[in-house]
Amino acid sequence: MDFEEFYKKYVRKKSEDFENLYKFSLEGYEIMEKSRDFIHDKVHIDNLFMLLDEFLENQNEVKNRLDLKILVLAICWHDTWKATIDPKSIFAMVYAQATEGVRSYLVFHKKAKKYNLNTKLIKDTGYVIRKHSSFQIFPTKSIEAKVLQDIDKLESISLDRFLRAFKNNPHLNKKSRFHLAKFYVSRFSRNDCYFEWSKKLFAGRRREFLEKFEKVSGH
């Protein structure tokens, strides 16, 4: 499911400001279509919309509490800074991972000025974007931020995505690839998703990923 399909299904007919919301969301989506980051691109965004669709189909109680306008904007914009960079070392990648939330928030906030959207919508979406980074100090409060964190983590558990990152990054030497692999796999050491649907899906995906990873890594 891509952005257009999700928007038509869940948002377009239910939003008074659907035209500006659509244009702003589409601008972020188009940035991701041209991404320089091979694992944070249009495919990643489409997969998140597919996972969110599945989440909404299985979590009716949570669905009724969500502001989907916030989630649509956040999904389209949360990786827009990463889409513009090309880290050339393992340290640059870790730094990008640590700062991506704030950096993408700044991109989002700057672009928001040209659209006539509710101030609270922009503020709440900005919070979700800032909180999606791997490294956080304070606990996540908004339900929309928790949903994005869950589906973003679920989408990252993909061996094909992992191997694609290695294949398309000529800057990584053998040692850097080893350390990045350890870091990547360590991200799945805990099932710390917020929602029951996410936890169940995470457990299955994690098990499948680790089994495949052992085979391709020779361990």
Side-chain angles (χ1 to χ4, degrees), residues 12 37 73 75 87 104 112 126 134-135 159 164 178 202 204:
R12 188 181 293 274
D37 185 325
L73 272 175
I75 289 174
S104 290
S134 299
F135 302 99
L159 186 63
R164 187 156 52 101
F178 172 76
F202 178 91

Side-chain angles (χ1 to χ4, degrees), residues 10-48:
Y10 289 103
V11 183
R12 188 181 293 274
K13 296 179 181 179
K14 300 178 182 180
S15 173
E16 294 178 0
D17 51 3
F18 73 87
E19 186 173 350
N20 277 325
L21 179 68
Y22 173 78
K23 289 179 179 178
F24 190 19
S25 301
L26 182 61
E27 183 176 358
Y29 187 75
E30 289 176 342
I31 291 174
M32 300 308 300
E33 286 184 316
K34 303 171 184 176
S35 177
R36 299 176 67 192
D37 185 325
F38 292 97
I39 61 173
H40 296 93
D41 56 6
K42 175 186 177 295
V43 174
H44 172 57
I45 302 304
D46 288 344
N47 286 341
L48 289 181

Side-chain angles (χ1 to χ4, degrees), residues 55 64 134 139 174 177 193 195 203 219:
F55 179 91
N64 295 330
S134 299
K174 187 175 182 180
R177 291 180 180 223
C193 293
F195 303 97
H219 296 299

Side-chain angles (χ1 to χ4, degrees), residues 17-173:
D17 51 3
F18 73 87
E19 186 173 350
N20 277 325
L21 179 68
Y22 173 78
K23 289 179 179 178
F24 190 19
S25 301
L26 182 61
E27 183 176 358
Y29 187 75
E30 289 176 342
I31 291 174
M32 300 308 300
E33 286 184 316
K34 303 171 184 176
S35 177
R36 299 176 67 192
D37 185 325
F38 292 97
I39 61 173
H40 296 93
D41 56 6
K42 175 186 177 295
V43 174
H44 172 57
I45 302 304
D46 288 344
N47 286 341
L48 289 181
F49 279 121
M50 180 178 64
L51 281 167
L52 180 56
D53 179 53
E54 293 178 16
F55 179 91
L56 296 173
E57 294 287 346
N58 288 277
Q59 295 281 289
N60 286 327
E61 183 180 343
V62 180
K63 177 181 177 180
N64 295 330
R65 296 158 52 200
L66 290 173
D67 187 332
L68 291 179
K69 291 186 289 184
I70 292 174
L71 274 169
V72 167
L73 272 175
I75 289 174
C76 288
W77 283 93
H78 78 286
D79 279 331
T80 47
W81 175 72
K82 267 193 170 181
T84 65
I85 64 171
D86 181 23
K88 300 185 184 301
S89 70
I90 187 69
F91 301 104
M93 290 179 182
V94 172
Y95 175 76
Q97 191 74 14
T99 61
E100 60 172 336
V102 173
R103 298 272 190 160
S104 290
Y105 162 77
L106 292 174
V107 176
F108 166 81
H109 195 265
K110 180 180 180 180
K111 296 291 186 179
K113 295 177 181 178
K114 65 181 180 181
Y115 295 96
N116 184 27
L117 287 170
N118 183 279
T119 303
K120 186 176 186 302
L121 173 63
I122 299 303
K123 179 181 178 181
D124 291 347
T125 304
Y127 175 83
V128 174
I129 293 172
R130 291 200 313 273
K131 295 299 291 184
H132 96 276
S133 297
S134 299
F135 302 99
Q136 298 289 336
I137 298 175
F138 301 106
T140 301
K141 293 183 179 180
S142 86
I143 189 170
E144 290 82 13
K146 291 177 180 179
V147 170
L148 180 57
Q149 287 180 27
D150 272 17
I151 61 175
D152 201 36
K153 187 165 187 176
L154 286 168
E155 206 281 322
S156 69
I157 310 178
S158 165
L159 186 63
D160 290 340
R161 187 171 185 249
F162 173 76
L163 295 176
R164 187 156 52 101
F166 277 163
K167 179 181 178 181
N168 291 290
N169 197 322
H171 310 303
L172 292 176
N173 57 36

